[in-house]
Amino acid sequence: MVQDSENAGTNIAKKSTAVNVTAPKSETYHGVDSQLADAWQTICSGMRRDLGAQIFGQWIKPIKLAGFDPASGELRLALPSEFAANWVRERYSERLVLAWKSHFDDVKTIAFSAKAGSARIAQVKKDSTSGSHQDTDAPSGKFRLDLDPRMTFDEFIAGNSNVLALNASQRMASPEKPLFSPLYLQSSTGQGKTHLMHAIGHAYRAEFPNARIIYMSAERFMIEFVSAMRRNEVMEFKAALREADLLMIDDIQFIVGKNSTQEEFLHTVDSLISRGKRVVVAADRPPQALDGVDQRLLSRLSMGLVADIQSAGLELRRDILQHRIASMPHQDVSGDVVEFLARTISRNLRELEGGLNKLLAYAQLTGRPITKELAEEQLSDILSACRRRITIDEIQRTVCEYYRLDRNEMSSKRRARAVARPRQVAMYLAKVMTPRSYPEIGRKFGGRDHSTVIHAVKLVEQLRGEDTEMDNDVRMLLRQLES
């Protein structure tokens, strides 16, 4: 249960009796139930934007409204398992309380629990003849290998930005003894590190059909480990991992905060490397930048080869588009459209391919020719997000120039109004104009807590509606930054 003292948002009349807000099959609500459901939809939209689709889908999306007691102000949220309930309680409870209080003022505390009768977590099994998932009550002796058949080395387009990572991945999958282990693949989202891990798995299995290969995300590793502890099958879990000839763990940045999980992963890596086995991990940042990870584990992750995948250049983006179009011979895409997409969608390759796929599908379904005008019309959301990337550093610099402050005041502990208010405006602009989460913004402002950023955003939003001078300041800053 979490208690928070902040009161904000619109007051809604309290009811005298507890109201069960579990969604019926029709997903319709009435009275306070409907208000809670609407608030939850809004909160979910905001958290998906802040946390990203992957984390939101793993931890927040499964949450169900389980009940609300107006007398005490306690909102009950149910999750699929005790592990999930504890995880969300430890990491997101404060954020959820603040979000609820901004949309439904009657909520004072939140209680998290496992939903009775919820589906148990699927046990990952390695089974070359069956695609079925075993129940978590089964022994943890094997892991199922799920590789995307499209993600092979043949389908990976090489360029200057990824050639080191590609060559290292091919060497890791070859019959020769690897020159390094672990291989640490590092890149921002959508640059190809997951593709390379799947390609390693395909190539290694082709060379060694009977090899024991394990591929999973860091979150899946944690879930499986905790499940094994709950079933008193930790020894079986450890043995299965350490029997691997090739172990690949994706999104290693999410192994944080759980000392027992990190300890087990450390010992697994040590065991495999000492026996000449192969270990591949991937993350969105270098080992030294991983937050909340044991120093011994960071040392192991750094001892092999850290292969950085840089953002794809214009030439590589062109090559990827042309390769994709060539695989669909009945699609006619002119060179000027390819050039337009390659130059405009530059944030990551996943967006680039997704934009092309959307364009191809629309043209096929409607019969319209693929032109630059059609691309601008149908991909407006992707294109607008890619055309201008404003950074928090740029926002801080612009705000300091506008208010005639020293840049260091953005990170200082001074609370004088002349300093605090511009700092709050900068936090507000960072949330409005960048995709950064509240914790990320807080770190850029002297390591402040995410709740401080949330308070600043809400305050500036309120002041813009009440204070003409504040609204004019923000509008002026927005124009300067957007220009």
Side-chain angles (χ1 to χ4, degrees):
M1 186 178 297
V2 183
Q3 181 71 45
D4 191 276
S5 60
E6 180 177 291
N7 288 302
T10 305
N11 288 320
I12 297 176
K14 295 179 173 57
K15 306 294 180 182
S16 59
T17 58
V19 179
N20 187 300
V21 295
T22 303
K25 292 183 179 179
S26 64
E27 296 296 327
T28 58
Y29 295 81
H30 302 283
V32 175
D33 290 21
S34 177
Q35 294 167 348
L36 283 167
D38 292 342
W40 181 232
Q41 289 180 352
T42 303
I43 291 167
C44 283
S45 297
M47 295 197 73
R48 187 183 191 282
R49 182 182 62 249
D50 295 341
L51 300 176
Q54 182 175 2
I55 296 178
F56 173 82
Q58 181 74 30
W59 302 111
I60 306 302
K61 187 177 180 180
I63 296 175
K64 303 296 182 185
L65 298 175
F68 177 67
D69 183 359
S72 64
E74 181 185 85
L75 176 70
R76 296 186 294 280
L77 301 180
L79 290 100
S81 67
E82 287 291 347
F83 175 78
N86 290 335
W87 180 277
V88 173
R89 181 187 299 111
E90 291 174 7
R91 287 161 177 78
Y92 303 118
S93 57
E94 185 176 7
R95 176 181 294 196
L96 283 167
V97 168
L98 289 172
W100 270 102
K101 291 171 78 65
S102 68
H103 293 284
F104 198 94
D105 189 50
D106 289 10
V107 173
K108 306 303 179 187
T109 61
I110 296 179
F112 301 87
S113 63
K115 187 173 73 170
S118 60
R120 289 171 290 189
I121 299 170
Q123 172 66 26
V124 182
K125 292 283 185 176
K126 178 185 176 183
D127 185 343
S128 60
T129 61
S130 173
S132 62
H133 287 272
Q134 299 291 330
D135 195 84
T136 53
D137 289 341
S140 304
K142 295 181 180 179
F143 296 91
R144 182 186 172 204
L145 180 63
D146 285 315
L147 296 176
D148 190 326
R150 299 167 299 177
M151 294 185 179
T152 64
F153 285 130
D154 288 340
E155 291 298 312
F156 189 86
I157 309 302
N160 292 333
S161 62
N162 59 28
V163 64
L164 172 62
L166 173 60
N167 290 341
S169 298
Q170 290 174 327
R171 182 59 185 264
M172 181 60 73
S174 69
E176 293 83 7
K177 182 178 179 180
L179 298 173
F180 41 79
S181 189
L183 170 60
Y184 189 106
L185 299 172
Q186 171 207 331
S187 78
S188 57
T189 299
Q191 298 298 342
K193 57 185 182 295
T194 297
H195 187 143
L196 285 176
M197 296 184 86
H198 283 252
I200 291 170
H202 285 301
Y204 192 75
R205 186 167 59 179
E207 293 286 352
F208 304 100
N210 297 319
R212 293 178 292 271
I213 305 173
I214 298 175
Y215 168 77
M216 66 176 77
S217 68
E219 288 185 316
R220 173 57 61 185
F221 179 92
M222 290 189 289
I223 291 172
E224 294 295 334
F225 180 59
V226 172
S227 297
M229 292 177 63
R230 189 172 64 246
R231 296 190 306 270
N232 294 320
E233 294 179 359
V234 173
M235 296 307 297
E236 292 91 336
F237 178 83
K238 292 180 178 181
L241 284 173
R242 296 174 196 184
E243 288 175 357
D245 297 301
L246 169 63
L247 173 66
M248 298 185 289
I249 305 293
D250 205 354
D251 291 324
I252 200 71
Q253 68 269 14
F254 293 123
I255 291 192
V256 296
K258 293 293 184 181
N259 293 334
S260 59
T261 308
Q262 290 188 32
E263 189 83 14
E264 176 51 36
F265 185 63
L266 170 65
H267 294 319
T268 296
V269 171
D270 280 344
S271 175
L272 294 175
I273 292 176
S274 67
R275 293 186 291 113
K277 304 300 182 181
R278 307 176 192 220
V279 178
V280 183
V281 297
D284 64 357
R285 66 202 72 173
Q288 299 78 11
L290 294 172
D291 296 327
V293 176
D294 185 279
Q295 286 300 317
R296 296 172 299 161
L297 180 53
L298 292 179
S299 175
R300 300 304 190 281
L301 297 176
S302 304
M303 67 184 292
L305 173 65
V306 178
D308 186 16
I309 305 174
Q310 301 291 334
S311 296
L314 176 60
E315 183 177 353
L316 178 55
R317 296 198 298 273
R318 283 197 200 104
D319 291 344
I320 290 171
L321 289 171
Q322 290 166 350
H323 178 81
R324 178 79 176 97
I325 294 166
S327 68
M328 304 180 70
H330 300 297
Q331 295 289 347
D332 183 19
V333 183
S334 63
D336 64 325
V337 173
V338 171
E339 186 69 15
F340 172 71
L341 295 177
R343 288 186 175 277
T344 310
I345 307 179
S346 57
R347 292 198 303 183
N348 67 64
L349 301 179
R350 193 172 297 152
E351 275 188 344
L352 182 66
E353 291 198 46
L356 176 63
N357 290 340
K358 180 178 179 181
L359 196 58
L360 293 173
Y362 184 87
Q364 188 174 28
L365 293 171
T366 63
R368 291 179 62 182
I370 299 175
T371 62
K372 181 180 174 182
E373 290 71 28
L374 182 67
E376 289 180 322
E377 171 192 316
Q378 292 301 314
L379 305 180
S380 59
D381 53 342
I382 300 176
L383 298 175
S384 61
C386 293
R387 282 194 172 104
R388 180 76 169 98
R389 295 189 66 185
I390 297 172
T391 66
I392 294 178
D393 288 338
E394 186 177 357
I395 290 171
Q396 290 179 341
R397 182 173 62 253
T398 302
V399 169
C400 286
E401 290 174 357
Y402 185 85
Y403 287 103
R404 299 179 182 177
L405 289 177
D406 188 281
R407 176 72 179 275
N408 293 330
E409 297 291 8
M410 292 291 105
S411 301
S412 75
K413 302 301 181 183
R414 292 183 59 199
R415 296 187 177 182
R417 185 188 181 98
V419 172
R421 189 53 51 80
R423 187 190 299 133
Q424 290 167 333
V425 169
M427 290 180 185
Y428 168 82
L429 292 171
K431 192 72 195 77
V432 171
M433 305 188 76
T434 78
R436 301 303 179 190
S437 66
Y438 289 117
E440 289 175 319
I441 295 172
R443 285 194 289 272
K444 295 290 287 185
F445 285 82
R448 285 175 162 80
D449 187 80
H450 69 275
S451 60
T452 302
V453 182
I454 293 173
H455 171 72
V457 171
K458 291 179 180 176
L459 179 62
V460 173
E461 286 177 342
Q462 178 184 342
L463 290 174
R464 289 193 68 183
E466 301 172 350
D467 186 341
T468 303
E469 183 177 352
M470 170 60 75
D471 187 57
N472 289 337
D473 286 349
V474 172
R475 288 177 182 274
M476 182 66 70
L477 287 163
L478 285 168
R479 281 197 295 270
Q480 289 184 16
L481 289 163
E482 289 170 347
S483 65

